Amino acid sequence: MKAKQFVERLMNALFFLCGVLAIASVALIAVYMIVSGIPAIHEIGLLDFLTGEVWASTAAEPKFGILPFILTSVYGTAAATLIGVPVGLLTAVFLAKIAPRHVADKIRPAIDLLAGIPSVVYGLVGVSVLVPLIAQVFGLPKGTSLLAAILVLSVMILPSIVSVSETALAAVPPEYEEASLALGATHIETIFKVSIPAARSGIAAGVVLGIGRAIGEAMAVMMVAGNVANMPALFDSVTFLTTAISKEMSYASGLQRQALFSIALVLFLFIMLINVVLGFLLKRGGRKEK
Amino acid sequence: MKKIISLGVVLAMAAAMLAGCGSTSSSAPAAATAAPAPAASSSQAAALTGSVGTNGSTSMEKVIGGLSEAFMENNSGVKVTYDPTGSGTGIQAVIDGTTDLGLSSRGLKDEEKAEGLTSKTVALDGIAIIVNNDNPIEDLSIQQIADIATGKITNWKDVGGNDSEIVMEGREAGSGTRDGFESIVGVKDECKYANESTSTGAVIANVTSNANAIGYASLSAVDDTVKAIKVEGVAASEATVLDGTYKIQRPFIFVLKEGATLSDASQAFLDFALSKDAADIITGAGAVPVAK
């Protein structure tokens, strides 16, 4: 009996330790980001840092304006969401409501696999297939551009949108749909007027999750976006918040290095904001189901 | 009970694996340091101790990194440090006496020599201008290259090539090659790049895949997937860099105080860096050694 109790206690402690480890990591990263990100912002000036349009970190008179990076990240993510959400949502509808079971069972693993493909592979396919294609289709001298990054990101966010939306759609009580059908609505009308509205908080959670993935992506974007610190334009070479950090980190020193930490802090705040929105959506969805 | 036993077995196996990793990783450097030890004892009669402080050019990071690693392997009592602060700061540090050896990736100016400084060239850094193999361009002047880099010339036909837009490939801010190219060609902070890559290999890959591209890369990294063009009529090669006819090059120098005596450790490091033994290390770091 005593041994049993001891094991019970031990395992409890172990679980607690694991939980603490996760929280400690997050807290450590948050504190580190703030501590190492603040000095450069203080030195450059918050307004100059956030709204400056020129980033020339190694010039004789260095300029540290990250507005091009912020706008590129916002535009790129928004456009990728604009493409990814309709495609992802319709895929989810197809899987949850329309496809015969054996077809859905074949498509679902394919989408799960899409989520598991490393981002460097997305980048590799992007740079060897998509980038030359863009140059050819639009008659440009080079294909590395915001457009290429948007297209790569829109495929990368599909899995999170599809799988979360599908789960939400499948959880819609069948009585809702049966009632709609009984009133004479067609299958498609029922999906768009009843199922999707009923699952909207779950779908929104999937979309926000996708946005989080898009804004945090560095590797694939770095390979296709060209990485010049231009203000965003569809066919121009651009730098995202993530790639601004990763491309200069290896040789950076002094204020330049500190400024990269400040960019990371800005990115961190973006991600936190997205997580807060996600938590809010999930909570609202959960309450409604009760 | 069974589960607890199996858990224990798993833990034991994990521990064994970790232990395995630990022992292999700790034995590897031991083997590496053991090998050159006899060489060190034969060349150095008395074991050197102390530290060598180097301060200056960020472009010399790879060269100094390679040299100090090899030097410290043979002289385990010496610690070589490197502060990548920039050539100007490194030269000032020698004047102020805050460093043993200054590092500069440009020659000393007259007013710096007037401060009683002298220099020893350790290597030359040749930067090749590369274009796609299908590009008919063979030769460009420095002025033409500068105009292309700053976006004054945007079409290949303006320099005698095909009628197509020029795509300027470059490195990221902070890269030594970028700094070298921009300062030699005289376009510092004025370049309009189409793409910025984070490695020489990526620049070469971009030029390989785009018929309109032009870029720059360390001479040692250029292979036959791209064409290194002539600059002012001179082909880029180790020989033309050494005899000074190839223009896009700069010296990597050690900056010293004229007549001052260095510590034994610093003198030994300097001698090693300028000796023939260091040539392979310098080549490996992408520069052209000057020791014959």
Side-chain angles (χ1 to χ4, degrees):
Chain A
M1 192 62 197
K2 269 235 166 111
K4 219 172 184 179
Q5 255 174 2
F6 174 73
V7 170
E8 201 73 5
R9 289 251 173 84
L10 187 78
M11 291 315 285
N12 266 338
L14 194 67
F15 293 143
F16 179 72
L17 203 71
C18 291
V20 167
L21 202 67
I23 293 173
S25 308
V26 170
L28 190 74
I29 292 172
V31 169
Y32 183 73
M33 284 326 309
I34 292 167
V35 168
S36 52
I38 293 289
I41 293 181
H42 185 71
E43 194 163 338
I44 298 159
L46 183 63
L47 210 63
D48 286 343
F49 184 65
L50 291 178
T51 61
E53 294 187 13
V54 179
W55 173 267
S57 53
T58 55
E61 277 177 44
K63 290 200 175 68
F64 298 99
I66 65 163
L67 191 64
F69 307 151
I70 294 178
L71 288 184
T72 302
S73 273
V74 170
Y75 289 177
T77 305
T81 314
L82 225 55
I83 299 171
V85 167
V87 176
L89 180 57
L90 295 187
T91 311
V93 167
F94 178 73
L95 287 178
K97 302 291 173 195
I98 297 174
R101 201 195 182 92
H102 68 277
V103 176
D105 284 347
K106 285 190 186 93
I107 295 177
R108 204 171 290 120
I111 289 168
D112 289 343
L113 194 62
L114 210 56
I117 294 174
S119 56
V120 65
V121 175
Y122 279 99
L124 210 57
V125 175
V127 80
S128 51
V129 179
L130 190 62
V131 166
L133 194 71
I134 288 176
Q136 209 178 3
V137 170
F138 296 97
L140 303 167
K142 53 143 188 90
T144 48
S145 57
L146 179 56
L147 179 65
I150 288 170
L151 293 178
V152 168
L153 286 178
S154 59
V155 178
M156 291 184 77
I157 64 174
L158 276 184
S160 26
I161 297 175
V162 172
S163 60
V164 178
S165 305
E166 195 205 339
T167 313
L169 283 169
V172 173
E175 298 86 14
Y176 290 15
E177 286 155 5
E178 282 156 12
S180 165
L181 291 170
L183 286 169
T186 65
H187 194 180
I188 300 295
E189 278 173 340
T190 303
I191 288 167
F192 281 99
K193 299 245 162 88
V194 176
S195 310
I196 291 180
R200 66 173 181 272
S201 64
I203 294 170
V207 171
V208 174
L209 212 60
I211 292 175
R213 169 134 206 219
I215 207 161
E217 178 52 42
M219 195 64 219
V221 166
M222 183 138 129
M223 292 169 84
V224 300
N227 309 323
V228 181
N230 292 324
M231 289 297 267
L234 203 53
F235 296 117
D236 246 355
S237 176
V238 291
T239 308
F240 286 66
L241 282 169
T242 47
T243 52
I245 304 166
S246 52
K247 83 167 173 170
E248 286 188 18
M249 205 48 168
S250 48
Y251 292 113
S253 59
L255 185 59
Q256 180 193 9
R257 193 178 183 83
Q258 290 179 323
L260 296 183
F261 280 110
S262 307
I263 298 179
L265 180 62
V266 171
L267 186 64
F268 190 66
L269 293 178
F270 267 101
I271 304 259
M272 287 227 288
L273 187 75
I274 288 168
N275 273 351
V276 168
V277 172
L278 182 69
F280 175 74
L281 286 173
L282 287 177
K283 204 187 267 173
R284 208 178 58 172
R287 195 182 301 139
K288 218 172 66 185
E289 266 158 41
K290 280 173 206 160
Chain B
M1 198 59 207
K2 233 180 190 175
K3 272 186 184 158
I4 294 170
I5 291 171
S6 64
L7 189 73
V9 169
V10 167
L11 282 175
M13 278 164 69
M17 272 170 70
L18 285 175
C21 292
S23 67
T24 47
S25 64
S26 63
S27 68
T33 46
S41 57
S42 62
S43 65
Q44 237 81 40
L48 282 166
T49 52
S51 68
V52 182
T54 66
N55 183 336
S57 171
T58 51
S59 307
M60 289 171 72
E61 181 178 358
K62 275 188 173 172
V63 171
I64 293 300
L67 288 173
S68 55
E69 200 175 296
F71 184 76
M72 286 190 281
E73 229 169 60
N74 290 335
N75 301 278
S76 49
V78 180
K79 177 113 189 82
V80 182
T81 60
Y82 166 57
D83 286 322
T85 54
S87 300
T89 313
I91 292 166
Q92 188 59 43
V94 178
I95 296 172
D96 298 341
T98 55
T99 188
D100 295 315
L101 295 167
L103 307 171
S104 169
S105 49
R106 60 169 170 79
L108 289 177
K109 294 173 185 163
D110 285 341
E111 63 261 33
E112 287 162 352
K113 285 181 186 157
E115 296 263 9
L117 296 183
T118 178
S119 66
K120 295 232 188 297
T121 305
V122 58
L124 297 172
D125 182 26
I127 298 170
I129 306 298
I130 52 173
V131 297
N132 190 274
N133 278 329
D134 295 333
N135 195 320
I137 295 284
E138 293 290 343
D139 191 348
L140 289 173
S141 70
I142 298 249
Q143 187 56 49
Q144 282 172 323
I145 294 168
D147 287 348
I148 288 171
T150 53
K152 254 182 237 157
I153 296 177
T154 57
N155 197 306
W156 282 111
K157 70 172 192 265
D158 296 335
V159 289
N162 301 327
D163 180 10
S164 52
E165 204 177 315
I166 297 173
V167 175
M168 181 72 197
E169 299 280 347
R171 291 287 306 276
E172 84 282 9
S175 146
T177 317
R178 168 162 159 164
D179 176 55
F181 169 81
E182 292 187 356
S183 49
I184 297 163
V185 177
V187 292
K188 197 136 180 53
D189 311 325
E190 297 166 35
C191 285
K192 294 209 163 40
Y193 291 108
N195 282 316
E196 286 180 21
S197 306
T198 49
S199 70
T200 295
V203 172
I204 293 176
N206 284 351
V207 174
T208 308
S209 63
N210 190 333
N212 303 320
I214 182 170
Y216 48 78
S218 263
L219 190 57
S220 58
V222 175
D223 51 24
D224 56 9
T225 58
V226 290
K227 182 163 74 176
I229 57 166
K230 292 177 183 171
V231 175
E232 311 268 353
V234 181
S237 72
E238 270 196 31
T240 54
V241 168
L242 273 176
D243 68 18
T245 50
Y246 183 75
K247 290 293 174 232
I248 305 190
Q249 63 157 293
R250 55 182 177 162
F252 284 164
I253 61 174
F254 284 116
V255 182
L256 315 158
K257 255 190 190 141
E258 183 91 65
T261 344
L262 290 169
S263 69
D264 286 348
S266 302
Q267 188 63 48
F269 178 66
L270 185 65
D271 291 343
F272 167 71
L274 300 176
S275 73
K276 237 172 99 176
D277 300 339
D280 282 346
I281 298 164
I282 292 169
T283 310
V288 180
V290 287
K292 297 198 179 62

